[in-house]
């Protein structure tokens, strides 16, 4: 029941949610029976493409399968949470983009004249090894039914190479992504002894006063990823830069004295805003939905030096809202 409540959050008006809820007890009992007897089989994923700004393939699960995903995370997330370092910020309660920006500001003050290793993992979700992931999970979860269930969910995502990759768009994928890269986090923090490190999904930054030390760490991190996690650093998105030149992170370019929103970020939001406006005009969206989207983005944007931009957008929206 708790898993259902969490799965339907912000989706109560969706027809597939209403249909499931109309026969709620029977649906939940059937799911429970399938899980207990090991007969549960997820429905095929629905795949679609988004361009925001880069092209990505999103795979959505059937609603009843999302209930199962929430049920799994409800049980095993607390077991892994104490394995996660403080400075992992994606898909965790009380963290997020606001949390990583505030933490990064503190680190910047200690490294104003230093350097940043800005890194990205190449094709992260497409290259996660199921065997490696299950090995990591198996160190803490000994229940064979849970391991079998997780294996079933992983295998439901059909890829060119069997046993490799997780779908973008699933709650379990987001959670498993953190479990997988917690190995990297602990290597960087405890193996390399890097003090000023933050990660958001597969995007991470290390600050240090020595560019030579960052070069050494970059090489060691790449070796660790390849040998332990079957991953590699993205050759075009991994580099060492002067902090004074601005460090890109979660949609901002962050300088010691100020933060600028990336132009591509602003452009994407304005395109989204136009779509929302059209939705209000043709009656497919209510004004409350637009207000929530606008408030969320403005809250994010105000972490940077964006007062003029926010005023401009609010002026544009006055006639609609």
């Amino acid at each position: 029941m708790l898993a259902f409540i969490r799965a339907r959050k912000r989706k109560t008006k969706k027809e597939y949610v209403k249909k499931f809820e109309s026969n709620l007890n029977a649906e939940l009992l059937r799911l429970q029976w399938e899980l207990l007897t090991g007969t549960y089989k997820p429905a095929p994923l629905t795949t679609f493409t988004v361009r925001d700004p880069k092209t990505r393939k999103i795979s959505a699960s059937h609603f009843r399968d999302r209930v199962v995903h929430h049920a799994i995370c409800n049980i095993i997330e607390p077991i892994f949470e104490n394995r996660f370092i403080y400075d992992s910020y994606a898909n965790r309660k009380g963290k997020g983009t606001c949390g990583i920006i505030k933490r990064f500001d503190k680190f910047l003050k200690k490294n104003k004249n230093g350097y940043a290793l800005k890194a990205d993992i190449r094709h992260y979700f497409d290259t996660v090894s199921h065997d490696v992931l299950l090995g990591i999970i198996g160190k803490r979860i000994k229940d064979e039914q849970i391991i079998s269930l997780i294996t079933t969910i992983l295998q439901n995502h059909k890829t060119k190479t069997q046993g490799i990759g997780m779908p973008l768009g699933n709650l379990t994928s987001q959670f498993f992504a953190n479990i997988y890269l917690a190995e990297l986090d602990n290597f960087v923090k405890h193996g390399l002894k890097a003090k000023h490190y933050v990660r958001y999904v597969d995007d991470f930054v290390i600050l240090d006063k020595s560019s030579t030390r960052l070069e050494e760490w970059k090489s060691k991190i790449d070796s660790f990823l390849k040998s332990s996690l079957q991953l590699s650093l993205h050759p075009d998105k991994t580099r060492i830069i002067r902090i004074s030149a601005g460090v890109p992170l979660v949609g901002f370019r962050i300088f010691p004295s100020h933060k600028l929103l990336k132009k591509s970020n602003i452009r994407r939001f304005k395109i989204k805003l136009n779509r929302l406006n059209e939705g209000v005009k043709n009656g497919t969206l209510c004004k409350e939905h637009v207000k929530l989207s606008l408030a969320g983005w403005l809250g994010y944007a105000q972490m940077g030096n964006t007062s003029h931009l926010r005023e401009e957008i609010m002026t544009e929206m006055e006639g609609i809202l």
Side-chain angles (χ1 to χ4, degrees):
M1 180 61 77
L2 176 61
F4 162 71
I5 291 168
R6 290 181 175 177
R8 76 170 179 178
K9 191 175 181 181
R10 293 190 291 274
K11 297 179 178 66
T12 53
K13 295 183 179 180
K14 297 286 186 180
E15 284 304 317
Y16 57 79
V17 176
K18 290 179 181 178
K19 184 178 178 181
F20 189 93
E21 195 167 13
S22 68
N23 199 21
L24 183 59
N25 284 341
E27 290 283 5
L28 294 181
L29 285 169
R30 185 156 64 95
L31 265 182
Q32 182 189 49
W33 176 252
E34 290 175 11
L35 291 169
L36 284 169
T37 58
T39 57
Y40 166 77
K41 298 294 179 187
L45 299 171
T46 301
T47 301
F48 55 93
T49 301
V50 298
R51 293 172 177 82
D52 189 22
K54 61 184 180 181
T55 301
R56 293 180 299 159
K57 189 167 74 172
I58 305 297
S59 297
S61 293
H62 191 282
F63 181 71
R64 78 189 301 265
D65 296 325
R66 294 183 218 171
V67 174
V68 174
H69 297 172
H70 277 274
I72 292 170
C73 291
N74 288 346
I75 298 301
I76 71 172
E77 186 175 4
I79 297 170
F80 284 93
E81 182 62 30
N82 64 6
R83 172 71 176 160
F84 298 157
I85 66 166
Y86 181 86
D87 289 312
S88 162
Y89 286 88
N91 307 307
R92 293 177 68 195
K93 293 175 184 176
K95 300 289 183 174
T97 53
C98 184
I100 196 171
I101 292 290
K102 288 179 179 178
R103 183 69 161 170
F104 195 72
D105 279 343
K106 291 182 180 180
F107 289 167
L108 271 184
K109 291 175 183 176
K110 299 176 181 179
N111 295 274
K112 284 183 180 178
N113 300 315
Y115 299 84
L117 168 58
K118 173 67 173 65
D120 191 289
I121 294 172
R122 184 171 186 169
H123 304 312
Y124 176 47
F125 279 84
D126 291 334
T127 54
V128 165
S129 163
H130 295 181
D131 286 343
V132 173
L133 174 60
L134 290 168
I136 295 168
I137 294 173
K139 292 175 184 176
R140 294 203 159 202
I141 304 294
K142 303 302 180 183
D143 188 304
E144 291 182 4
Q145 282 185 298
I146 292 288
I147 297 298
S148 177
L149 176 59
I150 291 170
T151 302
T152 297
I153 289 169
L154 290 171
Q155 291 176 346
N156 193 43
H157 178 51
K158 308 305 179 187
T159 59
K160 292 180 181 178
T161 306
Q162 189 175 355
I164 300 292
M166 296 190 300
L168 281 170
N170 275 0
L171 174 70
T172 46
S173 295
Q174 296 170 4
F175 178 56
F176 295 156
N178 270 342
I179 291 177
Y180 207 84
L181 287 185
E183 303 295 305
L184 169 66
D185 297 339
N186 284 286
F187 172 74
V188 172
K189 294 293 288 186
H190 306 303
L192 300 180
K193 307 293 184 184
K195 292 181 180 179
H196 304 135
Y197 164 85
V198 292
R199 180 178 64 81
Y200 195 92
V201 195
D202 60 336
D203 190 2
F204 63 92
V205 182
I206 307 175
L207 302 182
D208 198 83
K209 293 176 181 177
S210 167
S211 61
T212 303
R213 185 157 46 237
L214 288 177
E215 284 285 2
E216 292 174 0
W217 285 350
K218 176 186 170 185
S219 177
K220 289 180 179 179
I221 287 170
D222 200 34
S223 294
F224 173 81
L225 288 171
K226 288 174 180 174
S227 62
S228 299
L229 299 177
Q230 298 180 24
L231 302 172
S232 61
L233 292 175
H234 198 299
D236 301 326
K237 298 180 180 179
T238 300
R239 60 196 185 278
I240 293 169
I241 53 180
R242 282 189 173 274
I243 289 173
S244 58
V247 182
L249 184 66
V250 291
F252 289 90
R253 182 169 288 277
I254 304 175
F255 299 83
S257 59
H258 61 288
K259 303 178 192 69
L260 300 178
L261 264 176
K262 292 172 68 175
K263 290 180 180 179
S264 59
N265 196 325
I266 297 170
R267 186 165 58 249
R268 285 202 309 276
F269 180 70
K270 288 191 172 182
I271 291 170
K272 179 181 178 180
L273 210 54
N274 288 334
R275 287 202 306 266
L276 293 173
N277 291 345
E278 287 300 317
V280 171
K281 288 177 182 177
N282 62 32
T284 57
L285 287 176
C286 65
K287 289 185 178 182
E288 288 305 313
H289 177 85
V290 179
K291 286 178 181 177
L292 283 173
S293 292
L294 180 61
W297 191 84
L298 290 175
Y300 162 74
Q302 73 179 3
M303 292 188 290
N305 299 77
T306 59
S307 56
H308 293 303
L309 172 66
R310 284 181 282 126
E311 285 175 11
E312 174 192 327
I313 287 174
M314 284 302 296
T315 301
E316 287 180 22
M317 296 301 293
E318 279 177 3
I320 296 163
L321 302 179

